[in-house]
Amino acid sequence: MKAYVYVSLKRSVLDPQGKTIQGALQKLGYHGLQDVRQGKFFELTLDGGLDKSQAESAVGRIAREVLTNPVIEEFRYSIEE
Amino acid sequence: MKAYVYVSLKRSVLDPQGKTIQGALQKLGYHGLQDVRQGKFFELTLDGGLDKSQAESAVGRIAREVLTNPVIEEFRYSIEE
């Protein structure tokens, strides 16, 4: 089973890396971009021993407690069998 | 319209950052993880002027030419209206 955790900066937090990419893309001639934000994701391969609800709670806990800084970041996750 | 570009290391490329996270999670008592890989994603907010197929080609071009290092990385993207 695979779980994907997506961590991004909260909307209210400035994302200078995204702004830099947006500026670079504009200079390179790619127009039509209103905003760019960057985040990170984690692909977790889980042991087969967990059922889906166990996996959900384990992944939620890992995402909340370890992978995300709750002061400035938010996360979402999805699980694929 | 929003586009999400997900960039990850190719399967054949070692991901030391993912391995470090996996080791740290194990030490912290989170078991049941076979593998962890880390990647990054970009959330692009596009101008309203593009239709979906134009957006697809623009985002594909940006992902291929700028956001991804084709030697070691691969990407996928999705577009949401």
Side-chain angles (χ1 to χ4, degrees), chain A residues 3-4 11-12 16 27 51 53-55 65-66 70-71 76 79:
Chain A
Y4 295 88
R11 288 279 143 205
S12 52
K27 271 189 210 138
D51 66 25
S53 72
Q54 286 173 321
E65 295 175 1
V66 185
V71 180
R76 63 194 167 83
I79 290 180

Side-chain angles (χ1 to χ4, degrees), chain B residues 44-78:
Chain B
L44 311 173
T45 307
L46 303 167
D47 272 350
L50 300 173
D51 66 27
K52 186 146 185 185
S53 72
Q54 286 174 321
E56 291 231 353
S57 82
V59 170
R61 218 156 54 90
I62 289 172
R64 207 167 28 249
E65 295 175 1
V66 185
L67 301 178
T68 308
N69 173 356
V71 179
I72 55 167
E73 293 173 330
E74 58 192 8
F75 69 91
R76 63 192 166 85
Y77 63 88
S78 66

Side-chain angles (χ1 to χ4, degrees), chain A residues 28-76:
Chain A
L28 287 167
Y30 301 92
H31 299 296
L33 288 169
Q34 264 171 23
D35 193 26
V36 178
R37 290 183 78 84
Q38 202 195 334
K40 54 197 166 177
F41 72 89
F42 304 90
E43 182 192 305
L44 312 174
T45 308
L46 303 167
D47 271 350
L50 300 172
D51 66 25
K52 186 145 185 185
S53 72
Q54 286 173 321
E56 291 231 353
S57 81
V59 171
R61 218 157 55 89
I62 289 173
R64 206 168 26 250
E65 295 175 1
V66 185
L67 301 178
T68 307
N69 173 356
V71 180
I72 55 168
E73 291 173 332
E74 58 193 8
F75 69 90
R76 63 194 167 83

Side-chain angles (χ1 to χ4, degrees), chain B residues 9-79:
Chain B
L9 287 170
K10 287 181 183 169
R11 288 279 142 205
S12 52
V13 177
L14 186 69
D15 178 4
Q17 200 170 358
K19 286 279 168 239
T20 304
I21 295 165
Q22 187 183 355
L25 284 169
Q26 226 140 29
K27 271 189 211 140
L28 288 167
Y30 302 93
H31 299 297
L33 288 169
Q34 265 173 21
D35 192 27
V36 178
R37 291 183 76 84
Q38 201 195 336
K40 53 196 167 178
F41 73 89
F42 303 89
E43 182 193 306
L44 311 173
T45 307
L46 303 167
D47 272 350
L50 300 173
D51 66 27
K52 186 146 185 185
S53 72
Q54 286 174 321
E56 291 231 353
S57 82
V59 170
R61 218 156 54 90
I62 289 172
R64 207 167 28 249
E65 295 175 1
V66 185
L67 301 178
T68 308
N69 173 356
V71 179
I72 55 167
E73 293 173 330
E74 58 192 8
F75 69 91
R76 63 192 166 85
Y77 63 88
S78 66
I79 291 179

